Amino acid sequence: MIKNYKESFDKTKTAGRLAADTLDEVTPYIKPGISTNEIDKICYEFIKDNGGYSAPLFYRGFPKSCCTSPNHVVCHGVPTSKYLNEGDIINVDVTTMVDGWHGDTSRMFFVGEVSTKCKNLVSATYESLMKAISVIKDGAKLGDIGNTIQSHVERKGFSVVRDFCGHGIGNKFHEPPNILHYGKSGEGIKLQTGMIFTIEPMINEGIYNTKVLNDGWTAVTKDKSLSAQFEHTVGVTNDGFEIFTKSKKEYNQPPYKK
């Protein structure tokens, strides 16, 4: 057990609540014709107006306040003037900092009506996240998390991205341990009560290989197949887990009821 973890849980919970509220706020705006720059602006202003700071802004040179990753973009998509179209899917990833502590979460969104293959990919990705969270408890192993995700999505014919992973979080944006989204049960470090980290599986319709574009940030699928991601910040408790980035409006997976 990590000693004196209550303060870190409380502070991360505050930041995580604002991160989740930010995604709740932007939800009704995500429809055909909105640009990813506009999504970024809505997130930035909501976080600022509610006493937080957008942690990605200028982090290691990142130029925007959130990541917007449509269609075959796996993660770290940089918002631009490009508009979303009917049938697109998009991940919006926000990290808030409140009083020096971080909350990190992302969700997928449907842009208008989307195809059945989009729905199946997004649903499998969300299911893999929640199944992985359900195995968290003091004494479990990191490999249990990765194996749960990998087993679930591969049974459905999808693949798990290897190039990016979840991470420890708290008063630092990124810190150990790395949370792999694939692996073998019973392997890896042992989870301890008081640990805080993100789980953020990136699941591809095709092969798991990725490449980073010339902007140095935007990661895409190498075969240009669709990709989806969900993310929560979680804490390990004596008898299980606590999710710090739950939606108050129960916007868990799309389509979201407005």
Side-chain angles (χ1 to χ4, degrees), residues 28-158:
Y29 296 96
I30 298 181
K31 52 190 175 183
I34 192 172
S35 71
T36 50
N37 269 340
E38 290 173 284
I39 293 171
D40 181 74
K41 183 180 179 182
I42 292 165
C43 292
Y44 170 78
E45 291 183 347
F46 183 83
I47 293 168
K48 182 186 66 168
D49 290 347
N50 286 275
Y53 179 79
S54 297
L57 186 60
F58 307 131
Y59 179 76
R60 297 180 179 172
F62 191 77
K64 298 289 183 174
S65 295
C66 68
C67 299
T68 52
S69 302
N71 299 323
H72 72 293
V73 179
V74 174
C75 61
H76 303 157
V78 180
T80 68
S81 58
K82 185 177 180 180
Y83 295 101
L84 299 181
N85 297 309
E86 182 85 17
D88 287 344
I89 58 174
I90 186 170
N91 177 272
V92 180
D93 187 341
V94 300
T95 306
T96 56
M97 184 167 64
V98 180
D99 294 331
W101 290 76
H102 296 80
D104 192 359
T105 187
S106 80
R107 290 180 211 154
M108 294 300 298
F109 296 86
F110 295 156
V111 184
E113 292 296 320
V114 305
S115 67
T116 298
K117 71 175 183 178
C118 289
K119 292 177 182 177
N120 290 342
L121 174 64
V122 169
S123 179
T125 305
Y126 177 74
E127 290 165 2
S128 76
L129 170 65
M130 299 313 294
K131 284 177 179 292
I133 290 174
S134 73
V135 306
I136 295 172
K137 62 180 179 180
D138 187 276
K141 297 289 188 69
L142 279 183
D144 302 340
I145 293 173
N147 181 261
T148 299
I149 293 167
Q150 183 177 9
S151 299
H152 181 72
V153 300
E154 288 184 353
R155 278 197 301 269
K156 293 178 177 288
F158 303 122

Side-chain angles (χ1 to χ4, degrees), residues 157-169:
F158 303 122
S159 64
V160 181
V161 169
R162 265 70 162 172
D163 297 331
F164 303 94
C165 61
H167 52 89
I169 191 169

Side-chain angles (χ1 to χ4, degrees), residues 158-195:
F158 303 122
S159 64
V160 181
V161 169
R162 265 70 162 172
D163 297 331
F164 303 94
C165 61
H167 52 89
I169 191 169
N171 55 3
K172 294 181 180 177
F173 192 167
H174 296 91
E175 59 187 21
N178 288 335
I179 311 297
L180 302 183
H181 303 122
Y182 60 95
K184 295 182 179 180
S185 294
E187 294 189 350
I189 68 170
K190 186 181 292 187
L191 302 183
Q192 298 179 63
T193 297
M195 291 176 70

